[in-house]
Amino acid sequence: MENIVPWGRSYEEYIAMFDLTDSELKLGILGCGDGPAGFNAELTRRGGHIISADPIYAFGAAQIKSRILTTYETVMTQMRKNQADYIWEAIPSVEELGRVRMSAMDAFLSDYETGKSEGRYIAAELPSLPFESGKFDIALSSHFLFLYSNHLSAEFHLQALKDMLRVARQVRVFPLLTLAGTRSPHVSFIMQLIENLGFSAEIKRVPYEFQRGGNEMLLIQSV
């Protein structure tokens, strides 16, 4: 737990990051590495079908909340220091960012124990998912793959995406930038390998940009 920095995006951000339509929100969705995001809670409230997989779900709500409170000011200090790396439009200020993130994480925490008992929050991690093949329509990876390219190899990315494609007919990854704000060196290499496996892989512009230049997702699906 001491190595985890929980930071949850909102339902609205997920829709924009992955350019999800109303009809797609009615499909079976897997969120990989969702952490304390509010997407599962809100989509479930709206009648959607989603499972989130993240190693943080091995911990209880009190432990996760404690870690959120412990790391929150550190994250906010970094955001203030690096304000120029972000576009302050949909979220106009660092203070509003804090409000949006805490609201999303509060929604998660309020839903977490119920969601665990319902099987919506599963303690699991890439590149090996504990789900049967073809269980989901769409698998999402938010702020994990590509973002940590300096820590995770191209081979890890390939194996992770292959397993996501095993359990879902379509995969979406956002963003395509690293923590440094540059395009991940793995993107073009991974796209070629994925296409060699018989899938289509394309980069799509999305209606979301907070990290400067982070307005694209990778969309992979069967041909």
Side-chain angles (χ1 to χ4, degrees):
M1 177 61 84
E2 65 271 12
N3 295 321
I4 296 172
V5 181
W7 199 235
R9 274 83 187 175
S10 70
Y11 174 79
E12 292 77 15
E13 287 181 291
Y14 262 67
I15 290 174
M17 290 187 303
F18 294 108
D19 200 18
L20 292 163
T21 65
D22 288 344
S23 60
E24 288 169 342
L25 289 169
K26 297 175 182 176
L27 300 174
I29 298 175
L30 170 66
C32 295
D34 280 346
F39 184 62
N40 190 312
E42 182 61 21
L43 183 59
T44 299
R45 190 185 70 80
R46 293 169 181 247
H49 305 283
I50 176 170
I51 291 176
S52 297
D54 194 297
I56 199 176
Y57 304 149
F59 300 97
Q63 291 171 290
I64 296 174
K65 182 176 182 178
S66 176
R67 186 60 183 166
I68 289 171
L69 296 176
T70 298
T71 59
Y72 176 78
E73 282 303 327
T74 301
V75 175
M76 292 296 287
T77 298
Q78 288 297 316
M79 293 303 301
R80 293 186 186 98
K81 179 181 177 182
N82 299 309
Q83 285 186 62
D85 296 336
Y86 299 89
I87 295 177
W88 302 96
E89 292 180 359
I91 299 174
S93 66
V94 175
E95 290 67 32
E96 178 63 11
L97 173 69
R99 189 197 68 77
V100 169
R101 292 286 182 267
M102 284 305 294
S103 177
M105 291 189 284
D106 283 343
F108 161 79
L109 289 169
S110 296
D111 179 61
Y112 180 57
E113 295 298 349
T114 297
K116 279 190 79 171
S117 67
E118 293 174 351
R120 290 188 286 109
Y121 296 106
I122 304 294
E125 59 187 299
L126 293 169
S128 182
L129 299 167
F131 306 111
E132 63 265 29
S133 298
K135 179 175 177 63
F136 303 95
D137 297 299
I138 302 174
L140 309 174
S141 171
S142 164
H143 294 85
F144 177 59
L145 294 178
F146 298 130
L147 190 66
Y148 295 94
S149 291
N150 288 341
H151 305 87
L152 302 171
S153 68
E155 179 63 23
F156 176 92
H157 281 73
L158 178 62
Q159 295 306 318
L161 289 168
K162 284 173 65 176
D163 209 45
M164 291 173 73
L165 288 163
R166 178 185 64 80
V167 302
R169 60 183 177 84
Q170 185 186 97
V171 168
R172 302 183 187 193
V173 181
F174 179 91
L176 305 185
L177 302 182
T178 67
L179 288 169
T182 58
R183 172 68 68 82
S184 167
H186 299 331
V187 173
S188 58
F189 178 64
I190 289 297
M191 288 181 70
Q192 182 179 346
L193 292 176
I194 289 294
E195 288 173 346
N196 289 344
L197 293 173
F199 298 93
S200 70
E202 61 176 315
I203 294 172
K204 288 193 66 176
R205 186 85 172 259
V206 298
Y208 180 93
E209 185 177 6
F210 180 53
Q211 186 182 13
R212 194 172 296 278
N215 58 0
E216 295 174 322
M217 70 171 173
L218 178 60
L219 173 63
I220 306 171
Q221 54 194 339
S222 299
V223 176

